[in-house]
Amino acid sequence: MQELPLKQVVLTDYFWRYYQELIKETIIPYQYDVLNDALDIEVEAERKDDYLPKGKSHALENFRITAGKTQGEHFGWFFQDSDVYKWIEATSYVLVKQRDTVLEGLVDEVINLIGSAQEEDGYLNTYFQLKYPELKYRQLYFSHELYCAGHLIEAAIAYDQATGKKELLAIALKLVGNIEQYFGEEEGKIQGADGHQEIELALGRLYEHTGEEKYLTLAAFFIEVRGKDPLFYEKEITQNIADGLTTDNPNVDLLYLQAYDQPKNQQTAQGHAVRMLYMAASMAKIANFQQDEKLLQACLAIWENITTKKMYVTGGVGSTVHGEAFTSDYDLPNDTMYCETCASIALVYFAYELYKIEPKTEYFEVIERAIYNGILSGASVDGTHFFYVNPLEVQPESCHHNPGKGHVKTQRPDWLGCACCPPNFARLIGSIGKYIYNQSEKGLWVNLFIGSQLKGEYFSIVQQTNFPYENQVKIYYEGVKQNVHIRIPKWLQNLTVTGIDDYDLNEGYLRFEAYPQMALVLTFDQPILSISSNPKVSGNMNKISIQRGPFIYCAESIDNEIDLHQYFIKTKNISKGVVSQTSEILNQTLTIEVQAKKQQSWTENVLYQYNQDVIFESKSLKLIPYHLWGNRGETEMRVWLNC
Amino acid sequence: MQELPLKQVVLTDYFWRYYQELIKETIIPYQYDVLNDALDIEVEAERKDDYLPKGKSHALENFRITAGKTQGEHFGWFFQDSDVYKWIEATSYVLVKQRDTVLEGLVDEVINLIGSAQEEDGYLNTYFQLKYPELKYRQLYFSHELYCAGHLIEAAIAYDQATGKKELLAIALKLVGNIEQYFGEEEGKIQGADGHQEIELALGRLYEHTGEEKYLTLAAFFIEVRGKDPLFYEKEITQNIADGLTTDNPNVDLLYLQAYDQPKNQQTAQGHAVRMLYMAASMAKIANFQQDEKLLQACLAIWENITTKKMYVTGGVGSTVHGEAFTSDYDLPNDTMYCETCASIALVYFAYELYKIEPKTEYFEVIERAIYNGILSGASVDGTHFFYVNPLEVQPESCHHNPGKGHVKTQRPDWLGCACCPPNFARLIGSIGKYIYNQSEKGLWVNLFIGSQLKGEYFSIVQQTNFPYENQVKIYYEGVKQNVHIRIPKWLQNLTVTGIDDYDLNEGYLRFEAYPQMALVLTFDQPILSISSNPKVSGNMNKISIQRGPFIYCAESIDNEIDLHQYFIKTKNISKGVVSQTSEILNQTLTIEVQAKKQQSWTENVLYQYNQDVIFESKSLKLIPYHLWGNRGETEMRVWLNC
């Protein structure tokens, strides 16, 4: 299964155009200004911890200092550089649609700066260059040097694809050259991988971009070497101490790092969710290119573990803030979870790689779930506020006063000390066009209902629709004869197809043979659905969540009364809910109003009573799409509702 | 309201004799051996954190090293000394009932050791003596020096009361002398209090024991000075750094320390629960003795805040492990809470002090709730395993793999690196006799149904009962004419009183005038009650807990099936539950079996399904008293059950 060049896809969609415009007009300029410390905003730590960086980004300044253009000290995380790289990547996805001299001028300037910061031998990481040059490539358990390199590579590819300009690619290749010099299975080279996976995925993409086998080989080396010697990181630390380079003697948590065994032997999702999923995505990519069956089986086992036991209904993953990590099967607390925006993005990458191996609908079900819910929620509709953590249940008082929820922000901050998510949001949502269509030897695949046009070499296809606001998608096709497969989401009902007679519905796909010039119309319902959770998930017992179309819905107290946990809805009333359009949050937002009852509060000021009757009053409950929560001030929010 | 000397109360009770024997025969010898590092046991850190002390107690060895009897370094917490003091106090409550030469020999030896470790000027704290003598009384925000002193004082009083031996009291008074030299409102003395309250309560007791006003004055000083200068601790740190004594520059959390304002101005329970409640108990004691109305009003406000908004149904307090602290109103998570054994003990102290000011039944309702549930659960029935944290809901897999529950142990450890709870359990349960009776100018008060005999100077009273295993209490009275008030618990029904005609039932008390020789019989039912939680508590919505007599009940999967959250019970079925006696855990344990249904697990290996019908199967659910949970191996446990 092939990816199609992003250039070939033009978005005409109302819903997604909003986000494309937001990225271009607001997010990209805003993020540049933040990285440049040019805005008077509040940069918050990602959770309550006085030792975490906050107050400013300093990401571009770190490069300037390294390049000798200004004086100062490195500030921020050891992976602060990656914020800049991800911003370039996101900007490239704007430029690939439409070149822009001013914006390119800005990017070229940044690229120039990055180049000036790079060392002669290709090494590039402002944190180690400025603070600990003696520890380069010697603290891999935390250093993120190869992680940052990975993001540089991805940015370079994207910018090349968008503009044909090679300067950043040259910088990236020079860095890769440096990495090749130090890492590899040859004797004398470092037999270890970065604590935070990312280089593996980036090198896989570099192989796709350049066709050069050696990048795939290096990616595969990093996957193969991980966990091969579980003591690798311990030895590294001991050696550094013995060499007098540092006194740091941290505990290495091999589960957190997915280095307790080689990836090919891993069967479940463990540890830090973003690391786990960047790794899994690269494993799938490598398994695909190298026809590595064992690696593929590991990917499928991990996929099964996540999607049947460890994924929130919003497509969020990572049940705990401690290590931003996966926990045990069916452990999905709704109020203390992590559900980092980046982790859902990484889940999309993983799903997409598996899809390219075998186009089962389950992969795009997860991609759709994550994109429309747990990822879109990562940014405010004004494009200048970002969530790191995407909770499914928020009681503001508890979040403010229970430190176990110190990471659950009730409002999207202006920016974050650890700012991995905001530019990641921009690069994923900015490249949404890449996920709509694919091509394989079996024909063309349409994965998502998004108003758009794909212009291939020998054909073009158009989706004309105001989905998700309407229940119709018109498809126009021109070009060579080929099979077309349209994924039919599980949430739709009463599908009718007009314009063609000869089609089949199989394994979630509507398949037909497209002829040189044709049009068809899909019409369907988007009923309001109640979602039950597997009874093994204790926190969702007695509760349902609501879905309509690709959107998971939530209740906010701003639309209802406080104490949302006192509302109860009857499953049988759900489908009778009333859908209305409002422009209150986002133009054309569809809200849902369902019949509910609310348990009355007690008049007695006591905590406990014996044999107490429960008294309800009739209420209606208004719901909005989950991704729009928190856009109207601090409010209670809840996805899973009592039933 | 007067406390009566513990000597005057003889326990004859079947239920409580078990615990008294356990303390005497097992707990006291076991704890001595642990403090002496004489046992091959596993001493666990109180939560998952590699930086916490574990592996051994070393508490007595710390004294030996300080006394110069052995060589070595201090090990353990800076408050490790207090474990020894609390052990002496608990041992004294055994000795007060029956002198024992061998045991006293052991205690006297320890007292001798403590004396040898004390400095000439009276100072005593092995941590600072061995590790940081230059920082004595200079790191009050964490030092626990006065906290340890408080426990020494309490031990000394108890040992004096039990044996009449004054050696430990002399050591304590010498230390108090040293404290008086350094602390007080006079110019040049330290104008601050210990970060961890305890000295205040101990000095109050010392005043009661000796009648010396100056101890009460010093106790009141520590309460008055707390929070008076909120910058006190910051200044202390700055001064230490300026003086080159340390580079430590920790953040001072004034809420955690209850030092954000003077205690008399505090209205809610904030911060570390044990500190909060030791402080509140001492505030009430001082308010009582000094007729301080403002302090009393603060106590009453704090009491109201805790009991109507921040107390678990088990009498547990402290909703979070972070700072072992109170959080916001109605924030009572059942699976991540702290509910430290010590915090419930401290709640009993606070309640008892308030009760002595005004004998409202609400105070003994809380005392009874805490003792029979959240405190008794602190030790295993074999007396050699102890909980620090007393959860209301345990899923072992989640506790093992979700670090947010890293403090929730599924089994009672042999001992803890921070061992405040085990000896605190021994001293509270060992002194249970002190809570049964009180005397005031209004007469005699009977607070708890416990088979026992009180021999006063002018009267004696006997409770003959096999409560809680039977529903009858016979009361025999001999002596002077006086009013007797028997607290009638809210959980009993159908009370009948025989033997007297003239009595009244008022504000929760059965009151009658006792004449020189009389007998009466109280007969009642102990129905199975369902408890509802205030609807403001989101985690208990749709759930009930079960109580019979003073016991809160819980379900364990060892008696049922796993996935206890899939069980549902109907409130109306509760009273029809079947009570049976078993000797499986503790002799005569009363279990309850109720009709329930269990939601069937799904056959599909998926996390979410649309519009799914819920299928139940009939089951019965067996419940045991909460305090006995976890005595039969690792198992799921749940107090709040779906209804």
Side-chain angles (χ1 to χ4, degrees):
Chain A
M1 179 74 72
Q2 274 177 17
E3 275 188 42
L4 296 162
L6 195 50
K7 259 189 216 297
Q8 294 184 1
V9 181
V10 177
L11 286 194
T12 54
D13 193 85
Y14 180 84
F15 180 82
W16 286 107
R17 284 295 295 172
Y18 174 82
Y19 282 101
Q20 304 308 307
E21 291 295 321
L22 189 71
I23 287 171
K24 185 180 174 187
E25 304 299 332
T26 305
I27 294 184
I28 294 295
Y30 177 80
Q31 296 198 350
Y32 176 79
D33 286 343
V34 174
L35 298 176
N36 213 14
D37 307 308
L39 296 178
D40 182 21
I41 56 166
E42 196 181 342
V43 179
E44 296 182 20
E46 66 271 25
R47 59 180 183 274
K48 282 179 193 156
D49 183 338
D50 291 325
Y51 297 97
L52 296 175
K54 63 182 174 200
K56 59 181 173 182
S57 160
H58 212 257
L60 283 165
E61 188 65 10
N62 288 335
F63 281 102
R64 279 189 210 104
I65 298 165
T66 310
K69 295 184 192 305
T70 54
Q71 298 280 311
E73 282 180 16
H74 185 280
F75 175 87
W77 286 99
F78 28 84
F79 50 83
Q80 209 85 343
D81 294 356
S82 62
D83 297 349
V84 176
Y85 302 148
K86 282 194 279 189
W87 174 81
I88 295 177
E89 188 183 341
T91 306
S92 302
Y93 299 138
V94 169
L95 294 170
V96 79
K97 287 161 227 156
Q98 194 178 3
R99 300 286 295 268
D100 178 319
T101 328
V102 178
L103 193 53
E104 282 179 46
L106 210 59
V107 178
D108 291 338
E109 207 175 280
V110 173
I111 290 172
N112 231 319
L113 177 61
I114 295 169
S116 331
Q118 187 170 35
E119 301 197 352
E120 272 305 304
D121 66 355
Y123 184 90
L124 181 55
N125 181 291
T126 67
Y127 178 84
F128 281 90
Q129 287 173 269
L130 289 175
K131 294 187 82 157
Y132 304 104
E134 69 284 8
L135 285 166
K136 286 177 191 169
Y137 298 147
R138 297 191 63 147
Q139 292 189 319
L140 295 177
Y141 65 97
F142 87 87
S143 75
H144 287 59
E145 287 159 293
L146 305 185
Y147 166 90
C148 289
H151 281 302
L152 172 60
I153 294 166
E154 294 202 67
I157 296 168
Y159 198 59
D160 182 21
Q161 286 172 334
T163 65
K165 296 183 185 173
K166 307 289 183 196
E167 288 79 2
L168 192 60
L169 193 59
I171 293 169
L173 293 179
K174 193 172 166 190
L175 174 52
V176 174
N178 182 266
I179 293 167
E180 283 174 310
Q181 224 179 306
Y182 284 93
F183 294 85
E185 56 187 16
E186 298 87 351
E187 176 127 8
K189 293 189 175 179
I190 302 167
Q191 302 295 317
D194 195 300
H196 198 314
Q197 302 89 331
E198 157 59 26
I199 184 87
E200 301 83 355
L201 189 55
L203 286 170
R205 287 185 178 153
L206 190 59
Y207 161 68
E208 293 176 280
H209 187 61
T210 62
E212 286 208 49
E213 193 76 26
K214 65 172 183 172
Y215 299 129
L216 182 62
T217 307
L218 187 57
F221 161 76
F222 282 125
I223 289 296
E224 181 67 15
V225 80
R226 188 175 212 88
K228 200 169 180 180
D229 174 8
L231 294 176
F232 170 78
Y233 298 108
E234 293 283 1
K235 290 178 187 166
E236 194 186 38
I237 292 165
T238 310
Q239 191 61 49
N240 288 339
I241 294 171
D243 293 352
L245 298 176
T246 178
T247 55
D248 277 6
N249 192 7
N251 291 305
V252 175
D253 180 346
L254 293 176
L255 220 60
Y256 170 79
L257 298 166
Q258 297 86 35
Y260 57 96
D261 199 345
Q262 287 180 283
K264 64 185 173 192
N265 299 323
Q266 298 187 21
Q267 302 291 307
T268 55
Q270 299 292 342
H272 188 272
V274 178
R275 295 171 195 241
M276 177 73 234
L277 285 160
Y278 280 180
M279 179 174 89
S282 71
M283 285 163 67
K285 198 183 263 299
I286 293 163
N288 192 6
F289 288 129
Q290 297 195 331
Q291 300 289 309
D292 185 332
E293 185 58 25
K294 185 159 169 79
L295 207 53
L296 176 61
Q297 288 308 319
C299 289
L300 294 176
I302 291 164
W303 173 260
E304 196 254 19
N305 182 246
I306 293 171
T307 56
T308 69
K309 294 176 184 72
K310 292 177 176 169
M311 181 183 69
Y312 287 86
V313 75
T314 54
V317 281
S319 293
T320 179
V321 56
H322 303 273
E324 309 181 323
F326 287 103
T327 61
S328 52
D329 292 349
Y330 304 111
D331 188 44
L332 294 164
N334 291 311
D335 57 345
T336 57
M337 75 299 95
Y338 211 60
C339 291
E340 181 182 343
T341 310
C342 288
S344 290
I345 290 170
L347 179 62
V348 167
Y349 292 160
F350 180 34
Y352 198 37
E353 294 301 330
L354 288 175
Y355 168 81
K356 287 187 277 178
I357 295 170
E358 191 182 357
K360 289 190 189 173
T361 51
E362 63 180 286
Y363 301 123
F364 261 92
E365 279 163 23
V366 168
I367 291 173
E368 186 183 73
R369 183 190 292 282
I371 288 178
Y372 279 91
N373 301 289
I375 295 173
L376 272 187
S377 65
S380 60
V381 296
D382 68 8
T384 59
H385 299 83
F386 302 92
F387 274 139
Y388 196 119
V389 170
N390 296 279
L392 283 85
E393 185 180 315
V394 167
Q395 279 191 313
E397 276 299 291
S398 177
C399 293
H400 294 317
H401 298 289
N402 188 330
K405 299 179 186 170
H407 58 294
V408 183
K409 311 240 182 215
T410 60
Q411 292 279 277
R412 293 172 183 84
D414 295 340
W415 196 252
L416 293 146
C418 173
C420 50
C421 296
N424 224 356
F425 175 91
R427 70 178 185 137
L428 190 281
I429 299 300
S431 62
I432 191 80
K434 150 172 160 179
Y435 298 93
I436 308 173
Y437 305 100
N438 284 79
Q439 203 160 14
S440 75
E441 73 283 359
K442 289 190 181 163
L444 183 65
W445 302 78
V446 181
N447 307 311
L448 296 164
F449 291 156
I450 295 183
S452 57
Q453 185 173 5
L454 166 67
K455 278 202 175 167
E457 208 171 335
Y458 305 106
F459 68 91
S460 75
I461 186 166
V462 172
Q463 286 190 65
Q464 199 182 82
T465 178
N466 192 27
F467 176 84
Y469 304 119
E470 69 170 15
N471 299 334
Q472 200 179 61
V473 181
K474 291 182 188 153
I475 308 265
Y476 300 97
Y477 183 87
E478 263 187 51
V480 294
K481 247 191 186 185
Q482 63 176 330
N483 272 327
V484 175
H485 310 75
I486 301 176
R487 186 179 67 89
I488 304 302
K490 280 196 183 152
W491 46 254
L492 67 68
Q493 284 176 8
N494 303 327
L495 175 69
T496 60
V497 183
T498 54
I500 50 167
D501 298 322
D502 197 15
Y503 63 88
D504 57 66
L505 266 166
N506 230 329
E507 294 180 340
Y509 285 105
L510 173 79
R511 195 197 58 77
F512 59 91
E513 200 182 36
Y515 42 85
Q517 198 145 19
M518 68 178 298
L520 66 154
V521 181
L522 309 188
T523 311
F524 49 82
D525 290 342
Q526 297 186 60
I528 304 170
L529 301 165
S530 79
I531 305 179
S532 298
S533 175
N534 191 305
K536 287 271 180 191
V537 182
S538 64
N540 295 344
M541 190 91 286
N542 256 342
K543 298 195 179 85
I544 54 171
S545 64
I546 308 284
Q547 181 170 358
R548 185 181 177 279
F551 297 113
I552 301 297
Y553 275 72
C554 70
E556 287 195 315
S557 59
I558 197 171
D559 292 318
N560 301 288
E561 292 174 8
I562 57 158
D563 295 321
L564 292 172
H565 62 272
Q566 290 178 218
Y567 282 88
F568 288 70
I569 48 178
K570 274 263 164 280
T571 309
K572 67 174 167 44
N573 286 341
I574 300 307
S575 61
K576 293 178 243 159
V578 177
V579 178
S580 318
Q581 208 168 70
T582 171
S583 308
E584 205 190 331
I585 312 175
L586 201 63
N587 221 359
Q588 296 197 12
T589 295
L590 297 178
T591 64
I592 295 176
E593 202 146 338
V594 290
Q595 271 311 304
K597 56 185 183 176
K598 192 179 179 203
Q599 183 169 340
Q600 281 188 356
S601 291
W602 289 355
T603 46
E604 298 85 352
N605 181 26
V606 294
L607 263 175
Y608 306 107
Q609 291 195 78
Y610 294 130
N611 299 343
Q612 188 68 12
D613 284 329
V614 179
I615 301 165
F616 293 101
E617 41 190 337
S618 278
K619 294 274 178 190
S620 69
L621 187 66
K622 186 173 162 185
L623 305 161
I624 63 164
Y626 169 75
H627 74 95
L628 295 175
W629 90 270
N631 274 289
R632 293 170 294 168
E634 185 169 274
T635 173
E636 270 182 52
M637 185 277 292
R638 190 167 266 256
V639 169
W640 288 96
L641 303 157
N642 292 318
C643 66
Chain B
M1 178 76 70
Q2 275 178 17
E3 274 187 44
L4 296 163
L6 195 49
K7 260 189 217 295
Q8 294 184 3
V9 180
V10 177
L11 286 195
T12 54
D13 194 85
Y14 181 84
F15 180 82
W16 285 106
R17 283 294 296 173
Y18 175 82
Y19 281 100
Q20 303 310 305
E21 291 296 320
L22 189 72
I23 287 171
K24 185 180 174 188
E25 303 299 333
T26 306
I27 294 185
I28 294 296
Y30 176 81
Q31 297 199 348
Y32 176 78
D33 287 343
V34 174
L35 297 175
N36 214 13
D37 306 309
L39 296 178
D40 182 20
I41 55 166
E42 196 180 343
V43 178
E44 297 181 20
E46 68 271 26
R47 59 180 184 275
K48 282 180 194 156
D49 183 337
D50 292 325
Y51 298 96
L52 297 175
K54 64 182 172 199
K56 59 183 175 182
S57 161
H58 212 256
L60 283 166
E61 188 65 11
N62 289 335
F63 280 102
R64 280 190 210 104
I65 298 166
T66 310
K69 294 185 193 301
T70 54
Q71 298 281 311
E73 282 181 15
H74 185 280
F75 175 87
W77 285 98
F78 28 84
F79 50 83
Q80 208 84 342
D81 295 356
S82 63
D83 298 349
V84 176
Y85 303 148
K86 282 195 277 186
W87 174 81
I88 295 176
E89 188 183 342
T91 306
S92 303
Y93 299 138
V94 170
L95 294 170
V96 78
K97 287 162 224 156
Q98 193 178 4
R99 300 287 294 269
D100 179 321
T101 328
V102 178
L103 193 53
E104 282 179 48
L106 210 60
V107 178
D108 290 338
E109 208 176 279
V110 173
I111 291 172
N112 230 318
L113 177 61
I114 295 169
S116 331
Q118 187 169 34
E119 301 196 353
E120 270 306 301
D121 67 355
Y123 184 89
L124 180 56
N125 181 290
T126 67
Y127 178 84
F128 282 90
Q129 287 173 270
L130 290 176
K131 295 187 81 158
Y132 303 104
E134 69 283 9
L135 285 165
K136 286 177 190 169
Y137 298 146
R138 296 191 65 148
Q139 292 189 318
L140 295 177
Y141 64 97
F142 87 87
S143 75
H144 286 60
E145 288 158 293
L146 305 185
Y147 167 89
C148 289
H151 281 302
L152 173 61
I153 294 165
E154 294 202 68
I157 295 168
Y159 198 60
D160 182 23
Q161 286 173 334
T163 65
K165 296 183 185 173
K166 306 288 181 196
E167 288 79 1
L168 192 61
L169 194 60
I171 294 168
L173 293 179
K174 193 172 167 191
L175 174 53
V176 173
N178 180 267
I179 293 167
E180 282 174 310
Q181 225 180 304
Y182 285 92
F183 294 86
E185 55 187 15
E186 298 86 351
E187 176 126 10
K189 292 189 176 179
I190 303 167
Q191 301 296 315
D194 194 301
H196 197 316
Q197 303 88 332
E198 156 60 26
I199 185 86
E200 301 83 355
L201 189 56
L203 286 169
R205 287 187 179 151
L206 189 59
Y207 161 69
E208 293 176 278
H209 186 63
T210 63
E212 285 208 50
E213 194 76 26
K214 65 174 183 171
Y215 300 128
L216 183 62
T217 308
L218 187 58
F221 161 75
F222 282 125
I223 289 295
E224 182 68 15
V225 80
R226 186 174 212 89
K228 199 170 183 180
D229 175 8
L231 294 177
F232 170 78
Y233 297 108
E234 293 283 3
K235 290 178 187 164
E236 196 186 36
I237 292 165
T238 310
Q239 192 60 51
N240 287 340
I241 294 171
D243 292 351
L245 296 176
T246 178
T247 54
D248 277 6
N249 194 6
N251 291 305
V252 175
D253 180 346
L254 294 175
L255 220 59
Y256 170 79
L257 297 166
Q258 297 85 36
Y260 56 96
D261 198 346
Q262 287 179 284
K264 65 185 173 194
N265 298 324
Q266 298 186 20
Q267 303 291 306
T268 55
Q270 300 291 344
H272 188 271
V274 178
R275 294 170 196 242
M276 178 72 233
L277 285 161
Y278 280 179
M279 179 175 90
S282 71
M283 286 162 68
K285 197 182 263 300
I286 293 163
N288 191 6
F289 288 130
Q290 296 195 331
Q291 300 288 310
D292 184 332
E293 185 58 25
K294 185 160 168 79
L295 208 52
L296 177 60
Q297 289 308 319
C299 289
L300 294 175
I302 291 165
W303 173 260
E304 196 254 18
N305 182 246
I306 294 171
T307 57
T308 69
K309 294 176 185 72
K310 292 177 176 171
M311 181 183 68
Y312 287 86
V313 75
T314 54
V317 282
S319 292
T320 179
V321 56
H322 303 274
E324 310 181 322
F326 287 102
T327 60
S328 52
D329 292 349
Y330 304 110
D331 187 43
L332 294 164
N334 292 311
D335 57 346
T336 57
M337 73 301 97
Y338 211 60
C339 290
E340 181 181 342
T341 310
C342 287
S344 290
I345 291 170
L347 179 61
V348 167
Y349 293 160
F350 181 34
Y352 198 38
E353 294 302 329
L354 289 175
Y355 168 81
K356 287 187 278 178
I357 295 170
E358 193 183 356
K360 289 190 188 173
T361 52
E362 63 179 287
Y363 301 122
F364 261 92
E365 279 164 21
V366 169
I367 290 173
E368 186 182 72
R369 182 190 292 282
I371 288 179
Y372 281 90
N373 300 289
I375 295 173
L376 272 188
S377 65
S380 60
V381 295
D382 69 8
T384 59
H385 299 84
F386 302 92
F387 274 138
Y388 196 121
V389 170
N390 295 279
L392 284 84
E393 184 180 316
V394 167
Q395 279 190 312
E397 276 299 291
S398 176
C399 292
H400 294 317
H401 298 289
N402 188 329
K405 300 179 185 170
H407 58 294
V408 182
K409 311 239 181 212
T410 60
Q411 292 279 276
R412 294 171 182 85
D414 295 341
W415 197 253
L416 294 146
C418 173
C420 50
C421 296
N424 224 356
F425 174 92
R427 70 179 186 136
L428 190 281
I429 298 300
S431 62
I432 192 80
K434 150 174 161 181
Y435 299 94
I436 308 172
Y437 305 101
N438 284 79
Q439 203 161 15
S440 76
E441 73 283 0
K442 289 189 180 163
L444 184 65
W445 302 78
V446 180
N447 306 311
L448 296 165
F449 291 157
I450 294 183
S452 58
Q453 185 173 5
L454 166 67
K455 277 200 174 169
E457 210 171 335
Y458 305 108
F459 69 91
S460 76
I461 186 166
V462 171
Q463 286 190 66
Q464 199 183 83
T465 180
N466 193 27
F467 176 84
Y469 305 119
E470 68 168 17
N471 299 334
Q472 200 179 62
V473 180
K474 291 181 187 154
I475 308 264
Y476 300 98
Y477 182 87
E478 263 187 50
V480 295
K481 250 191 184 184
Q482 64 176 329
N483 272 327
V484 174
H485 311 75
I486 300 176
R487 185 179 68 89
I488 304 301
K490 280 195 182 152
W491 45 254
L492 68 67
Q493 284 177 9
N494 304 327
L495 176 69
T496 60
V497 182
T498 54
I500 50 168
D501 299 321
D502 197 15
Y503 64 87
D504 57 64
L505 267 167
N506 229 330
E507 295 179 340
Y509 286 104
L510 172 79
R511 194 196 58 78
F512 58 92
E513 199 181 39
Y515 42 86
Q517 197 145 19
M518 68 178 299
L520 67 153
V521 180
L522 309 188
T523 311
F524 48 82
D525 291 339
Q526 296 186 61
I528 305 170
L529 301 164
S530 79
I531 306 178
S532 299
S533 175
N534 191 306
K536 287 270 179 192
V537 181
S538 63
N540 296 344
M541 190 90 285
N542 256 340
K543 298 196 181 84
I544 53 171
S545 63
I546 308 285
Q547 181 170 0
R548 184 181 179 279
F551 296 113
I552 301 296
Y553 276 70
C554 70
E556 286 195 314
S557 58
I558 197 172
D559 292 319
N560 301 286
E561 292 174 9
I562 57 161
D563 295 321
L564 292 171
H565 63 273
Q566 290 179 219
Y567 283 88
F568 287 70
I569 47 178
K570 274 263 162 281
T571 309
K572 67 175 165 43
N573 286 341
I574 299 307
S575 61
K576 292 179 244 156
V578 177
V579 178
S580 319
Q581 208 169 70
T582 171
S583 307
E584 205 192 333
I585 313 176
L586 202 64
N587 221 359
Q588 296 197 14
T589 295
L590 297 177
T591 64
I592 295 175
E593 201 146 338
V594 291
Q595 271 311 304
K597 56 184 183 177
K598 193 179 178 203
Q599 182 168 340
Q600 281 188 356
S601 290
W602 288 355
T603 47
E604 299 86 352
N605 181 28
V606 296
L607 262 175
Y608 306 108
Q609 292 195 77
Y610 294 130
N611 299 344
Q612 188 68 12
D613 284 330
V614 179
I615 302 166
F616 292 101
E617 40 190 338
S618 278
K619 294 273 177 191
S620 70
L621 187 67
K622 186 172 162 185
L623 305 161
I624 63 164
Y626 169 75
H627 74 94
L628 295 175
W629 89 271
N631 273 289
R632 294 171 294 168
E634 186 169 274
T635 173
E636 271 182 50
M637 187 276 292
R638 190 166 265 256
V639 169
W640 288 96
L641 302 157
N642 293 317
C643 66

